[in-house]
């Protein structure tokens, strides 16, 4: 294999750090001068930034495991595209699809949500929110999702290179200063508007817009929801956390999982469901999943039933079924 | 990039942003203007609660906390966090302890690890006693 030292690619993760600092300063300045929409709150923003610093620190261990795993998989590669313009492009697109799949899992499997929830825990939406990143990704096993790319023959450093570009792009999405862009761009690319939807707790916006750079994955797989003026995003979680304490921001969902799993009187299936079922699942129905929140919203607002991001009224399908001719 | 330069950039950037945010942020954080704001925030988070079910609303002296006592289902709790608010419907599984604190004070501890223990001051002993009794009844303490 190409030795890691033979591949000359810039460290996009490191190069992006000046972009983050300058980007935040520009956004803050524009908002301060009243030239752009958006809000900053001192404790909230500092919590996000310090979560980002913690992510860099814990990410070192993750990166070691990731590179080791990918290097192992790369040794058994099926193809050998090398590092050139088309392999970089192809790797970028495939990696973005991998991120779409992983991101959907982060929202639909509680074990992964425990890692990702802190990124959604700010009730603000600005460039610092982008840096509110997890400290516990090593426990998710998500490095396994990188292996197919390495098996296909993409060099581990190439995968990290395109991943760094992907993350830098995503940083720029976390802002209210940019409205909707030119329609063709909004159709293909993930934009601040699409990502505002993703960070919202409005029922119609839950579990939507998982795309990272390209939004087409959401359009293909039916998870796309457009930002609507009449239902402006309400940022944060369905049940917001009441703390800026970094420890609890990072670990609160893991603690909740632990408490749920050791509850007395549960079956083994129920304990496993508390770990791997969608967030909001409970054995006694005392909590609500995204699907249940959407159904509740439609019951309270029947005129919204069947609109993008919302289900039909439960009775409607049954009624339709009744008028279908018998075979 | 040189690790020293990178570290300096991170630390320097953090300090600069911290200073600017301190200058730009509003002082004092969120305050509930009136009872209606507390009810609106509560209903927004719990739309399934019938507004006719809402009884008395009690706000703390600093107007950063409000309790919305429902006639049938738990006690609504609105708490300022920075310039935003956190809302809960406190039932039997939510409160670890409810203790009187002096003439008009109340100490609360929650099972939810993201809700810090609260030491609240009310305008009158009547307000405090009403909230404490409602919470104890709701929590079965």
């Amino acid at each position: 294999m190409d030795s890691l030292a033979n591949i000359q690619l810039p460290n996009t993760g490191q190069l992006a750090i000046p972009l983050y600092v300058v980007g935040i300063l520009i956004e803050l300045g524009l908002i301060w001068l009243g030239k752009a929409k958006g809000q900053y709150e001192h404790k909230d923003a500092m919590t996000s930034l310090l979560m980002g610093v913690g992510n860099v620190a814990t990410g070192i261990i993750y990166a070691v495991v990731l590179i080791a795993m990918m290097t192992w998989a790369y040794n058994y590669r099926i193809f050998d595209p090398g590092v050139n313009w088309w392999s970089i492009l192809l790797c970028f697109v495939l990696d973005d699809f991998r991120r779409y799949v992983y991101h959907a899992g982060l929202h639909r499997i509680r074990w992964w949500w425990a890692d990702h929830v802190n990124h959604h825990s700010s009730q603000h939406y600005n460039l610092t929110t982008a840096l509110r990143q997890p400290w516990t990704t090593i426990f998710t096993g998500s490095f396994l999702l990188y292996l197919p790319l390495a098996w296909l023959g993409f060099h581990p450093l190439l995968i990290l290179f395109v991943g760094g570009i992907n993350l830098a792009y995503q940083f720029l999405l976390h802002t209210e200063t940019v409205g909707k862009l030119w329609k063709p761009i909004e159709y293909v690319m993930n934009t601040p508007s699409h990502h505002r939807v993703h960070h919202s707790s409005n029922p119609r916006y839950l579990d939507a817009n998982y795309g990272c750079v390209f939004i087409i994955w959401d359009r293909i797989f039916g998870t796309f929801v457009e930002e609507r003026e009449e239902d402006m995003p309400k940022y944060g979680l369905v049940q917001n956390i009441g703390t800026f304490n970094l420890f609890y921001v990072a670990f609160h969902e893991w603690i909740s999982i632990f408490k749920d799993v050791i509850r007395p009187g549960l079956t083994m299936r129920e304990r496993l469901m508390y770990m791997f079922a969608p967030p909001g699942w409970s054995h006694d129905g005392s909590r609500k999943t995204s699907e249940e929140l959407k159904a509740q919203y439609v019951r309270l607002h029947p005129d919204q039933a069947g609109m993008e991001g919302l289900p039909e009224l439960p009775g409607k399908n049954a009624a339709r079924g009744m008028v279908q001719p018998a075979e | 990039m040189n690790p020293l330069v990178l570290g300096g950039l991170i630390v320097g950037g953090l300090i600069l942003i911290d200073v600017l945010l301190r200058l730009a942020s509003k002082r004092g954080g969120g305050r509930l203007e009136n009872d209606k704001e507390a009810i609106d925030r509560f209903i927004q988070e719990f739309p399934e609660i019938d507004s006719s079910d809402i009884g008395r609303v009690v706000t703390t002296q600093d107007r950063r906390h409000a309790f919305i006592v429902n006639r049938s289902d738990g006690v609504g709790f609105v708490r300022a966090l920075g310039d935003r608010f956190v809302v809960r419907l406190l039932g039997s599984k939510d409160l670890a302890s409810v203790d009187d604190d002096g003439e008009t004070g109340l100490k609360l501890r929650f099972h939810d690890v993201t809700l810090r223990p609260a030491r609240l001051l009310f305008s009158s002993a009547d307000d405090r006693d009403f909230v404490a009794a409602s919470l104890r009844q709701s929590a079965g303490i």
Side-chain angles (χ1 to χ4, degrees), chain B residues 70-100:
Chain B
N70 304 312
R71 293 191 176 88
S72 58
D73 190 14
V75 176
F77 178 54
V78 180
R79 168 186 252 186
L81 178 78
D83 62 353
R84 295 290 194 265
F85 291 87
V86 173
V87 182
R88 294 284 192 278
L89 179 59
L90 300 175
S92 58
K93 295 172 183 167
D94 301 301
L95 283 160
S97 66
V98 179
D99 297 308
D100 294 352

Side-chain angles (χ1 to χ4, degrees), chain A residues 121-313:
Chain A
S121 65
S122 172
Q123 294 189 56
H124 286 266
Y125 190 75
N126 53 50
L127 290 176
T128 65
T129 312
L131 304 179
R132 188 179 278 229
Q133 291 292 333
W135 296 358
T136 54
T137 307
I138 190 96
F139 301 124
T140 62
S142 62
F143 46 80
L144 295 173
L145 291 180
Y146 281 87
L147 300 188
L149 286 176
W151 265 318
L152 277 173
F154 295 106
H155 194 283
L157 291 186
L158 174 57
I159 298 169
L160 292 181
F161 171 72
V162 297
I165 295 172
N166 198 305
L167 291 178
Y169 180 88
Q170 287 187 63
F171 167 76
L172 297 169
L173 301 175
H174 295 79
T175 183
E176 290 185 290
T177 62
V178 178
K180 290 196 176 184
L181 301 173
W182 190 41
K183 277 191 176 176
I185 292 176
E186 292 281 338
Y187 192 83
V188 177
M189 307 297 288
N190 196 6
T191 62
S193 171
H194 298 330
H195 208 58
R196 286 194 287 270
V197 163
H198 177 70
H199 271 261
S200 303
S201 60
N202 314 40
R204 85 168 73 238
Y205 297 148
L206 293 173
D207 284 349
N209 299 3
Y210 297 124
C212 295
V213 169
F214 300 114
I215 203 70
I216 44 171
W217 310 123
D218 288 280
R219 294 187 189 276
I220 292 168
F221 296 104
T223 49
F224 175 74
V225 179
E226 184 89 40
E227 183 182 34
R228 302 168 76 97
E229 269 188 36
E230 70 273 22
D231 195 8
M232 289 310 284
K234 183 178 165 294
Y235 305 115
L237 301 168
V238 168
Q239 180 171 289
N240 283 302
I241 60 171
T243 182
F244 293 123
N245 180 311
L246 294 176
F247 177 83
Y248 289 120
V249 173
F251 297 107
H252 70 94
E253 189 66 15
W254 293 108
I255 295 170
S256 295
I257 289 177
F258 178 74
K259 283 183 170 180
D260 286 333
V261 168
I262 62 163
R263 279 184 192 202
L266 297 181
T267 64
M268 183 53 74
R269 180 184 175 277
E270 287 168 339
R271 293 182 205 283
L272 289 171
M273 290 294 276
Y274 270 120
M275 292 163 73
F276 301 113
W281 181 89
S282 58
H283 73 288
D284 55 3
S286 59
R287 304 173 198 169
K288 291 187 179 77
T289 62
S290 296
E291 281 186 14
E292 288 162 343
L293 288 166
K294 285 171 185 275
Q296 173 185 277
Y297 181 81
V298 164
R299 280 198 301 277
L300 295 168
H301 304 88
D303 58 310
Q304 299 290 307
M307 297 186 80
E308 199 174 57
L310 293 170
E312 294 283 0
L313 276 169

Side-chain angles (χ1 to χ4, degrees), chain A residues 14 17-18 21 24-25 28 32 39-42 45-46 49 53 123-124 234 238-244 248 252 255 259 284 286 288 296 300, chain B residues 1 6 9-10 13-14 16-18 20-25 44-45 47-48 79 81-88 93 111-116:
Chain A
Q14 282 186 8
I17 288 174
V21 175
I24 290 166
L25 291 174
L28 189 56
W32 204 358
Q39 284 183 316
Y40 272 80
E41 202 267 338
H42 175 245
M46 290 311 293
L49 293 175
V53 173
Q123 294 189 56
H124 286 266
K234 183 178 165 294
V238 168
Q239 180 171 289
N240 283 302
I241 60 171
T243 182
F244 293 123
Y248 289 120
H252 70 94
I255 295 170
K259 283 183 170 180
D284 55 3
S286 59
K288 291 187 179 77
Q296 173 185 277
L300 295 168
Chain B
M1 195 183 293
L6 190 66
L9 194 62
I10 293 173
L14 274 173
L16 181 59
I17 293 166
D18 180 63
L20 291 174
L21 284 171
R22 281 177 194 276
L23 294 172
S25 291
Q44 192 181 19
E45 300 276 328
E48 70 275 22
R79 168 186 252 186
L81 178 78
D83 62 353
R84 295 290 194 265
F85 291 87
V86 173
V87 182
R88 294 284 192 278
K93 295 172 183 167
H111 288 302
D112 180 346
V113 295
T114 73
L115 286 180
R116 285 179 297 111

